[in-house]
Amino acid sequence: MSLPAADTVVTYPDGDLASTGTVLHLQPLDDGRTAVVLDRTAFHPVDPVWPDQPADTGLLRVDGDVVAVVAAVVGATDGTTLHVGDAPVRTGTPGWAFVVCHLVDDATRFAPGTTVEVEVEPEVRRALSSGHTACHLASLALDDALAGLWTKEVPVDGRGKPAFDQLAIASSRILPDGSLDEYRIGKSLRKKGFAAAELPAALAGVTDAANALLAQWVAAGDGIAITIERDGDGLGERRRWRADLPDGAVEIPCGGTHLRSLAGLSAIVIELDYDQEAASLTMRTSVERA
């Protein structure tokens, strides 16, 4: 069975919850599941390189029969081997095709050339999109609130504030209607000019300032348009989250799913926890719907 020669066309950046595609490849896995690769899908997969957002949940429909998708991961092939969820290269590397692998327990209904309808569970998508959008906004609000703790010039974020999130991020996890971000505040960050010694005393004020800014943005509701800008339709193409904030548009590289505006939200709130001994800052972001 030939391997895909081009990226999967993905429609989830447009907010799609359904799509129709053709089976290009089936790959049995060691655990008994099968990876089903379509030419086109609305399903958002986990990227193993930066697995911040969980995969969509949903199903594949073939001639009226329903097959549950038990997982979805990014696959990569150089034309000789399909790596399912463990690609040796970053998504977008030239010379490789990047595909969405829909993992199913029973692949008897699928064959190359089969037409498949993809259906994504809308509430799970909504909750994860809400969490991912809030995560980006919270990172911008945190950068803003921490701006006074820098003693040297450093790279800035899309709003012109010192890019603490970019410089210190260690891990990020998108949750339903929220996120969890871990920042490393070690020697290298202090050398760049971050006044870590002042953070414990400033933490409450930083939290209040970030939440006040987030409240302003939430109050704007559908006045803040959110879009995904992308270089092409393929899974491996670069994508950027864009928000038209009151003080200007901001873009952040991102491959996840998002809300289209802040309409329908009543609050985005962060909590900060600084572990001085571990030199780490944790930010928990939560979304409240109206």
Side-chain angles (χ1 to χ4, degrees):
M1 187 183 301
S2 62
L3 293 168
D7 288 358
T8 303
V9 173
V10 290
T11 65
Y12 60 79
D14 299 324
D16 287 359
L17 295 169
S19 61
T20 301
T22 301
V23 176
L24 298 179
H25 182 76
L26 300 172
Q27 180 145 321
L29 305 179
D30 291 341
D31 60 8
R33 298 181 298 179
T34 300
V36 180
V37 178
L38 308 176
D39 64 340
R40 182 183 186 90
T41 188
F43 228 91
H44 175 268
V46 173
D47 189 328
V49 175
W50 188 252
D52 57 339
Q53 181 172 334
D56 283 330
T57 62
L59 56 87
L60 304 179
R61 191 181 299 274
V62 183
D63 293 332
D65 291 337
V66 171
V67 179
V69 178
V70 297
V73 297
V74 172
T77 177
D78 58 358
T80 59
T81 302
L82 176 61
H83 301 268
V84 180
D86 61 350
V89 296
R90 294 182 66 87
T91 303
T93 300
W96 290 71
F98 297 90
V99 298
V100 177
C101 296
H102 310 77
L103 305 190
V104 300
D105 288 328
D106 182 0
T108 55
R109 295 293 291 113
F110 302 99
T114 302
T115 298
V116 177
E117 296 177 4
V118 177
E119 298 179 16
V120 175
E121 208 291 318
E123 182 53 32
V124 172
R125 166 72 68 80
R126 163 75 184 185
L128 292 173
S129 296
S130 170
H132 209 150
T133 295
C135 180
H136 287 334
L137 292 172
S139 73
L140 293 169
L142 182 63
D143 285 353
D144 191 296
L146 289 172
L149 293 184
W150 292 94
T151 62
K152 300 177 183 179
E153 289 190 7
V154 292
V156 297
D157 64 18
R159 298 180 64 246
K161 306 298 181 180
F164 173 84
D165 178 83
Q166 176 186 338
L167 294 170
I169 191 71
S171 67
S172 182
R173 179 69 172 170
I174 306 303
L175 308 172
D177 290 320
S179 62
L180 179 66
D181 294 275
E182 301 283 347
Y183 300 98
R184 176 68 178 168
I185 305 180
K187 185 181 297 184
S188 63
L189 195 69
R190 295 195 296 271
K191 284 185 176 180
K192 289 182 174 69
F194 186 73
E198 299 178 21
L199 185 56
L203 198 61
V206 167
T207 303
D208 289 345
N211 281 328
L213 185 54
L214 288 167
Q216 291 179 26
W217 291 339
V218 170
D222 58 8
I224 295 180
I226 297 170
T227 55
I228 301 297
E229 307 294 325
R230 51 180 171 163
D231 296 341
D233 294 335
L235 177 61
E237 299 283 0
R238 290 181 53 132
R239 292 183 289 281
R240 299 167 299 281
W241 173 86
R242 175 188 169 105
D244 293 327
L245 299 176
D247 54 356
V250 178
E251 290 190 358
I252 296 175
C254 183
T257 66
H258 289 279
L259 303 177
R260 289 294 176 258
S261 76
L262 302 187
L265 303 186
S266 59
I268 298 175
V269 178
I270 69 162
E271 297 178 1
L272 298 176
D273 180 26
Y274 180 44
D275 186 330
Q276 202 162 1
E277 184 176 346
S280 68
L281 178 71
T282 300
M283 179 170 68
R284 295 175 177 82
T285 304
S286 59
V287 175
E288 298 176 11
R289 301 191 200 181

